[in-house]
């Protein structure tokens, strides 16, 4: 799976960096290093719902450093095959 975290200006201000750091840690915690490719990407067109994340073709919205773990475990993990 390609997991893209928006680092466009709006999402950047809302904490993309914290989300990327959290996802890095969670990918390691769940041993998904060979299944999930973490990338930074430019604006996903969902700025008002940022930080915006795309997991393959699914959007995960309103992610931040505080809820990144919950979003990862509830919304992203089920999509990893
Ligand atoms: S800046 Fe992230 S969706 Fe637009």
């Amino acid at each position: 799976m390609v997991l893209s975290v928006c680092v466009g200006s709006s999402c950047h201000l809302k904490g993309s960096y914290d989300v990327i750091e959290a996802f890095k840690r969670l990918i390691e915690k769940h041993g998904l290093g060979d299944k999930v490719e973490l990338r930074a990407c430019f604006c996903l067109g969902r700025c008002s719902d940022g930080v915006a994340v795309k997991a393959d073709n699914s959007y995960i919205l309103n992610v931040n450093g505080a809820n990144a773990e919950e979003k990862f475990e509830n919304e992203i993990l089920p999509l990893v095959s």
Side-chain angles (χ1 to χ4, degrees), residues 5-12 16 41-53 59 61:
V5 178
C6 176
V7 294
S9 47
S10 170
C11 290
H12 174 73
S16 301
C41 67
F42 293 112
C43 183
L44 291 170
R46 303 296 296 269
C47 311
S48 58
D49 301 316
V51 175
V53 174
Y59 287 99
L61 302 171

Side-chain angles (χ1 to χ4, degrees), residues 15-59:
S16 301
Y17 180 78
D18 295 340
V19 173
I20 289 173
E21 288 301 308
F23 282 176
K24 265 190 209 162
R25 183 176 59 76
L26 289 159
I27 287 166
E28 196 164 312
K29 172 181 164 189
H30 291 277
L32 297 171
D34 54 353
K35 290 195 172 171
V36 178
E37 184 185 338
L38 185 61
R39 289 187 191 165
C41 67
F42 293 112
C43 183
L44 291 170
R46 303 296 296 269
C47 311
S48 58
D49 301 316
V51 175
V53 174
K54 209 171 173 196
D56 286 337
N57 293 318
S58 305
Y59 287 99

Side-chain angles (χ1 to χ4, degrees), residues 1 35 56 77-81:
M1 166 197 282
K35 290 195 172 171
D56 286 337
L77 270 188
L79 302 174
V80 178
S81 54

